[in-house]
Amino acid sequence: MPLSQSLITPGLAVAFDIPIPAGNPSSAVSPHHHHFHRAGPALTSASPNHPPPLLPPPDFESSDLNSASGSGGGGGGSGAGDEPARTLKRPRLVWTPQLHKRFVDAVAHLGIKNAVPKTIMQLMSVDGLTRENVASHLQKYRLYLRRMQGHNASGGAGSGGPISAADAATDQLFASAPVPHHFLSRGGPVTAPGAPEPFLPYVPVAALQHHQQITAAMQQQQYHQRHLGQFGSPTGSGVFDHGFLNRAAVSPSGIHQMIGPAPGMGLLQHTASPAANFSDDLETSGRGSSGEKKVLTLFPTGRSALDIWVGFSPNICMPFVLVSVLISSLSTTGAEWKIQRLSLVLRKGFVRSLDPDLGDCIFECGMVVDSEDSALGIDLDGGAMALH
DNA sequence: ATACTAATAT
DNA sequence: GATATTAGTA
C-alpha cells in the first residue's frame, strides 16, 4: 500500500496515458500496471514524429523486477537488504535511453567539470547502478562529446573529420538524449571547484534562501527558483480548478501541509486537468513563448527535500500553467519506471506529495508554459519548495 | 585509501 | 560495438 499507492486523477491519467481501473478514478496504480514507455511524456524521449525509444528488455511484462525476487533488488521497494553483489556477477548494464537521459541530466546539473563517476552515480540515484557503470559510460560519452565538438565548432570542413556512418550508428544512444549546449563549448566557463556551474540551469535549491526575483540576468539564464520552507498560504479550498486554461480563478489549494514521513498522506486534491497538454512533450519543444511544453527533471540528492536539486531546461520561462509531476524510479535490473507519486499543480497552487517515501527517485515534470503567473510547487519528505 | 581516467579485455 | 575490468595516477 505504501509505495505503489499512487493516486492519479483522471485528467492526469489521460495526460500520461495511464490506464486506470474503471470505477475508481483516483485509485492507486497497481504495481504491475502497464509501464509506460510511451505513456508518460516526461519519460519517453520520443518526439512527436518519432518512434519510441528503444525498449529495454523484451520481458518487461514479467513481474520479476518489481518486487519479490530477492536478487535484483527491488526497484523502489522497501528493499530487502541483501547485497550479494560482491561475489555475484551483476548482469551487464544496458544503457537505455531512459538511463542515459538521467545520466545526461546529472552531468548537466553537475557541470561537465564536476561530473565524475561517483557524483553522477549519486545524482542519478538509480538502484543497482555502480560507479564503474557510470565511469565506463562517462568515458564513452566524453569521446562522443569530443567528436561532436570537433564537428561542431572547429572549422567546418576539415578539422573534425567527417561524420562517418559508423559514428552515426554508434552514437545512436547518445543521440537519444539532447546534449546540453554548453557541453560542446570549448574553453567553456571556468567554474570554481565545487561550485555549481553558473551556466547551468540547475541549481541546488538548498542554496537559495529567499525568494528570488526574476532579474534580467536570471532571465537570461532562464530559470527562476525559490525555496520555501513551508507553505503557508492556505489559499483555499484544496480543490484544483479544472479549467486552468480558462485562467479564471485558480484555485487555491495550496495548502500544503508538510507531509512528513507519515504514510498514507496526502492525496491529490482533485482532479484535474486538462492535462491533455501533456500528451507528448520532450525537450523538443522549444522556442515559442507560450504553449510550450518542457520536461523537467529534479534530482533528489538526499532524503531531505531541502537538498533537492531543481532545474529547468533553458528556454523555460516560467509562467505556465501548471504542471504535473510524475515521480518514478528506475533500476538497473528492471529498467522500468514506476510511478510512485503523481501530483498536480496549478498556478499559484502547490502540489501535494502523495507518497512520503521518495527514496531514490527522480522527478520528471512535464511543464507547460502558458499563462504568465504561475508556480510549481513540489513537496516532499516534509519539506517543500516552489519554483516561480 | 579513494576514486578518476585511460587503456585494455570480454 | 557496448560494457567491464584493470592499471596507473592524482
Side-chain angles (χ1 to χ4, degrees):
Chain A
M1 101 171 161
L3 284 184
S4 53
Q5 197 88 55
S6 299
L7 298 180
I8 300 175
T9 65
L12 288 174
V14 170
F16 289 99
D17 250 46
I18 299 168
I20 290 187
N24 198 344
S26 54
S27 68
V29 171
S30 51
H32 61 276
H33 239 307
H34 288 304
H35 318 299
F36 23 124
H37 285 111
R38 34 167 76 255
L43 299 182
T44 66
S45 338
S47 64
N49 60 353
H50 241 309
L54 298 177
L55 299 183
D59 62 340
F60 63 89
E61 189 79 21
S62 63
S63 58
D64 47 310
L65 4 147
N66 278 336
S67 53
S69 303
S71 78
S78 23
D82 67 311
E83 175 106 25
R86 215 166 276 188
T87 36
L88 293 180
K89 236 189 270 180
R90 324 176 70 129
R92 238 175 117 95
L93 175 65
V94 174
W95 285 88
T96 61
Q98 284 87 356
L99 258 183
H100 179 63
K101 180 188 184 301
R102 200 142 171 173
F103 167 86
V104 173
D105 283 337
V107 172
H109 296 171
L110 295 167
I112 344 199
K113 305 186 51 176
N114 299 321
V116 289
K118 188 181 181 183
T119 315
I120 295 171
M121 176 194 78
Q122 294 173 333
L123 254 192
M124 286 179 75
S125 134
V126 169
D127 185 40
L129 188 68
T130 68
R131 191 169 59 79
E132 287 70 29
N133 290 145
V134 176
S136 181
H137 191 66
L138 178 61
Q139 179 176 19
K140 197 184 171 190
Y141 188 60
R142 280 170 172 162
L143 290 174
Y144 169 75
L145 290 180
R146 208 141 113 33
R147 288 206 306 279
M148 292 296 275
Q149 191 173 345
H151 289 299
N152 198 8
S154 276
S159 319
I163 297 177
S164 70
D167 284 339
T170 302
D171 303 332
Q172 215 176 307
L173 207 210
F174 294 143
S176 72
V179 176
H181 53 289
H182 56 282
F183 277 26
L184 298 176
S185 67
R186 201 167 244 201
V190 177
T191 309
E197 244 309 332
F199 290 177
L200 280 180
Y202 300 96
V203 178
V205 171
L208 302 174
Q209 293 302 320
H210 297 291
H211 173 27
Q212 297 183 21
Q213 285 300 314
I214 297 169
T215 64
M218 290 178 78
Q219 291 195 322
Q220 181 165 45
Q221 292 188 355
Q222 297 186 9
Y223 74 79
H224 314 122
Q225 18 203 319
R226 169 182 175 181
H227 169 243
L228 302 180
Q230 64 178 6
F231 292 169
S233 37
T235 2
S237 57
V239 172
F240 287 107
D241 183 283
H242 291 41
F244 60 67
L245 287 181
N246 300 332
R247 315 195 37 184
V250 175
S251 54
S253 55
I255 328 189
H256 146 325
Q257 38 180 5
M258 314 260 284
I259 300 184
M265 217 28 229
L267 71 165
L268 206 39
Q269 309 262 355
H270 173 44
T271 77
S273 68
N277 293 329
F278 289 114
S279 44
D280 55 334
D281 62 75
L282 293 256
E283 53 268 300
T284 56
S285 56
R287 77 230 310 167
S289 42
S290 61
E292 247 174 77
K293 298 180 233 173
K294 281 287 185 175
V295 175
L296 173 69
T297 302
L298 310 181
F299 288 106
T301 59
R303 293 188 181 74
S304 165
L306 303 183
D307 288 332
I308 289 180
W309 286 61
V310 180
F312 282 94
S313 297
N315 292 333
I316 283 191
C317 273
M318 261 38 342
F320 67 43
V321 171
L322 125 117
V323 183
S324 126
V325 181
L326 176 65
I327 299 175
S328 55
S329 65
L330 190 61
S331 81
T332 56
T333 55
E336 272 306 337
W337 295 77
K338 186 161 64 179
I339 300 183
Q340 297 199 325
R341 175 153 45 179
L342 192 55
S343 309
L344 217 205
V345 189
L346 281 191
R347 61 194 264 239
K348 296 284 190 184
F350 294 102
V351 203
R352 230 166 162 20
S353 294
L354 300 178
D355 187 325
D357 181 12
L358 288 178
D360 295 339
C361 305
I362 242 198
F363 300 75
E364 290 273 355
C365 303
M367 170 178 284
V368 175
V369 176
D370 178 24
S371 62
E372 47 199 58
D373 184 327
S374 48
L376 159 63
I378 295 174
D379 158 36
L380 32 118
D381 286 348
M385 66 187 180
L387 308 172
H388 258 61

